[in-house]
């Protein structure tokens, strides 16, 4: 069984874009692979955040992932900062990463523009920490969306560079390119659905009335009807394809082609099917969040399992990079004399 690693930021409010772009695939790969899934709180610190809120964001993220079907027994599910080896390997990789390769990262350039008042070194080094995440578990496969391909390329480069400098240690991780729908903002279908755009996203834990309201208000046609489907309508079809039965999708497509599609009908159907799909997730989430001690225990169990692997890797890495002070035979005479 190949080892799979992936990470997700603790936004605290995962949405259908996260689900269709990533989480759904995580749930699917669990059946065939040995999976390690991390809630990457250290990555979340690279942009301004409220420390008082972070713990709840982490717990809510964990509860949502489990609600979506991540099985914390079958897979290893844990919080990144609970396994200190991430930071340690990150530092070592820092020392073999060319600055230019970080400055070229499109995500860094975007985020630096977005947070001009706080372009910290963590934001620049973000992809090194990501490489450390993956290499710490010697993962062979990494399910990622297209926006992470460049970061994964750096992880591969760093594995190669480390092996070259210190001896064969890390496999080069491969992207596991899975079916991932690109879900757009409901209120601005030219941009990606995002937690930072209010009104753009449907949280996986949204109650039925909220789902219905968001879908009802979704932007459809903006200008006059053109030749091709407008981005808003295309986005609703993307969602319909993910949440509704194939016959339903076919029926609405046909109506669209005949020019007989009423957006209210499309929206009503979509909202109904989304409510049906998301209800079990919300219920499981609510249950887990009402028993946070159990949730914390589950994450502690995940961290223990992750740490066992991470420790072995770091022992090897420390040895290969010259951080181990030899054996007793090599101890200085002064120490041996007495
Ligand atoms: N940077 C990833 C994202 O924002 C999250 C992440 C952190 C990750 N470490 C990872 C993804 C390791 C894959 C592998 O989506």
């Amino acid at each position: 069984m190949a080892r799979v690693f992936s990470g997700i930021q603790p936004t605290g409010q995962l949405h259908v874009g996260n689900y269709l772009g990533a989480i759904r695939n995580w749930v699917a790969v669990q059946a065939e692979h040995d999976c390690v899934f991390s809630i990457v709180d250290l990555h979340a610190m690279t942009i301004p955040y409220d420390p008082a809120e972070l713990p709840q964001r982490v717990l809510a993220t964990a509860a949502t992932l489990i609600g979506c079907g991540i099985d914390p027994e079958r897979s290893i599910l844990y919080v990144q900062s609970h396994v200190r080896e991430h930071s340690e390997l990150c530092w070592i990789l820092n020392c073999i990463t060319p600055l230019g390769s970080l400055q070229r990262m499109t995500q860094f350039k975007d985020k630096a523009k977005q947070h001009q008042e706080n372009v910290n070194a963590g934001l620049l080094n973000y992809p090194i920490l990501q490489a450390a995440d993956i290499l710490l578990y010697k993962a062979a496969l990494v399910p990622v969306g297209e926006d992470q391909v460049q970061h994964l390329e750096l992880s591969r480069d760093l594995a190669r560079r480390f092996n070259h400098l210190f001896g064969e240690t890390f496999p080069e991780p491969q992207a596991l390119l899975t079916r991932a729908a690109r879900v757009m903002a409901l209120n601005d279908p030219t941009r990606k659905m995002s937690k930072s755009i209010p009104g753009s996203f449907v949280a996986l834990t949204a109650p039925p009335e909220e789902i219905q309201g968001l879908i009802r208000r979704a932007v459809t046609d903006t200008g006059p009807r053109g030749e091709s489907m407008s981005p808003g309508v295309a986005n609703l079809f993307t969602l319909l394809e993910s949440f509704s039965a194939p016959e339903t999708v076919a029926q609405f497509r046909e109506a669209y082609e005949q020019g007989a599609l009423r957006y209210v009908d499309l929206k009503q159907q979509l909202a109904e099917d989304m409510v049906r799909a998301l209800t079990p997730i919300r219920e499981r989430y609510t249950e887990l969040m009402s028993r946070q001690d159990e949730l914390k225990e589950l994450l502690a169990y995940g961290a223990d399992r992750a740490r066992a692997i991470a420790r072995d890797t770091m022992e090897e890495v420390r040895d290969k990079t010259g951080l181990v002070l030899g054996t007793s035979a090599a101890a200085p005479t002064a120490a041996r004399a007495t």
Side-chain angles (χ1 to χ4, degrees):
M1 267 203 306
R3 178 163 295 145
V4 168
F5 183 95
S6 201
I8 196 160
Q9 294 233 19
T11 62
Q13 234 185 0
L14 299 174
H15 52 67
V16 296
N18 301 125
Y19 182 72
L20 300 177
I23 302 169
R24 177 174 64 170
N25 295 322
W26 290 16
V27 175
V29 293
Q30 280 184 129
E32 301 151 47
H33 297 291
D34 163 15
C35 295
V36 182
F37 298 127
S38 186
I39 299 170
V40 295
D41 53 350
L42 298 173
H43 278 108
M45 298 171 76
T46 58
I47 56 171
Y49 73 101
D50 180 353
E53 280 174 11
L54 190 55
Q56 282 304 308
R57 281 167 52 191
V58 168
L59 290 172
T61 301
T64 311
L65 291 173
I66 298 170
C68 288
I70 298 297
D71 178 348
E73 291 290 337
R74 177 189 280 276
S75 299
I76 297 180
L77 176 67
Y78 74 102
V79 181
Q80 185 187 34
S81 70
H82 296 180
V83 178
R84 311 287 159 100
E85 284 79 359
H86 286 261
S87 302
E88 191 181 0
L89 182 57
C90 181
W91 177 257
I92 293 171
L93 297 178
N94 257 289
C95 298
I96 64 165
T97 307
L99 200 50
S101 66
L102 299 173
Q103 287 161 331
R104 273 198 299 278
M105 291 286 166
T106 52
Q107 188 170 305
F108 169 68
K109 288 192 272 187
D110 288 350
K111 287 197 181 168
K113 216 180 284 169
Q114 255 174 51
H115 302 278
Q116 276 175 27
E117 73 298 343
N118 181 17
V119 183
N120 59 68
L123 206 54
L124 181 70
N125 294 345
Y126 180 112
I128 307 180
L129 180 59
Q130 184 163 346
D133 295 344
I134 299 165
L135 301 184
L136 200 47
Y137 301 93
K138 300 191 178 184
L141 297 170
V142 182
V144 283
E146 53 180 318
D147 63 326
Q148 294 296 316
V149 168
Q150 204 183 20
H151 287 171
L152 190 63
E153 199 46 53
L154 181 78
S155 304
R156 296 165 55 79
D157 286 348
L158 291 180
R160 219 177 296 131
R161 193 179 283 261
F162 186 98
N163 293 344
H164 174 72
L165 290 167
F166 304 109
E168 194 59 34
T169 309
F170 297 118
E172 282 181 38
Q174 310 281 336
L176 184 63
L177 292 171
T178 38
R179 178 180 61 128
R182 194 172 148 81
V183 184
M184 309 308 285
L186 293 173
N187 55 357
D188 177 3
T190 59
R191 296 162 75 190
K192 234 175 106 170
M193 180 177 280
S194 160
K195 203 209 151 193
S196 56
I197 313 173
S200 81
F201 66 93
V202 179
L204 291 171
T205 54
E209 320 76 67
E210 189 182 321
I211 299 173
Q212 278 147 357
L214 284 160
I215 298 298
R216 203 182 314 118
R217 288 190 299 276
V219 170
T220 46
D221 286 345
T222 32
R225 250 192 202 214
E227 286 287 287
S228 56
M229 197 182 269
S230 70
V233 177
N235 195 36
L236 293 177
F237 269 104
T238 299
L239 292 170
L240 198 72
E241 270 159 8
S242 307
F243 290 108
S244 305
E247 309 83 71
T248 310
V249 180
Q251 195 186 315
F252 278 97
R253 282 224 182 271
E254 202 182 302
Y256 175 83
E257 264 138 42
Q258 289 168 353
L261 176 66
R262 292 175 50 202
Y263 295 146
V264 273
D265 298 337
L266 172 66
K267 286 177 167 184
Q268 202 178 357
Q269 179 77 48
L270 175 60
E272 192 181 313
D273 292 336
M274 280 178 78
V275 168
R276 188 176 321 106
L278 300 185
T279 295
I281 297 177
R282 190 189 69 252
E283 286 174 353
R284 184 94 180 89
Y285 165 86
T286 309
E287 188 190 319
L288 286 160
M289 288 302 276
S290 72
R291 290 182 296 168
Q292 297 202 359
D293 287 345
E294 280 173 46
L295 192 54
K296 287 180 207 164
E297 255 168 54
L298 274 176
L299 291 172
Y301 167 66
D304 285 344
R305 292 161 75 201
R307 203 176 295 115
I309 305 170
R311 269 202 189 131
D312 282 350
T313 305
M314 280 318 293
E315 221 168 276
E316 187 184 348
V317 166
R318 292 173 59 85
D319 186 33
K320 286 185 167 152
T321 53
L323 295 174
V324 177
L325 298 182
T327 57
S328 54
T333 30
R336 261 187 281 143
T338 50

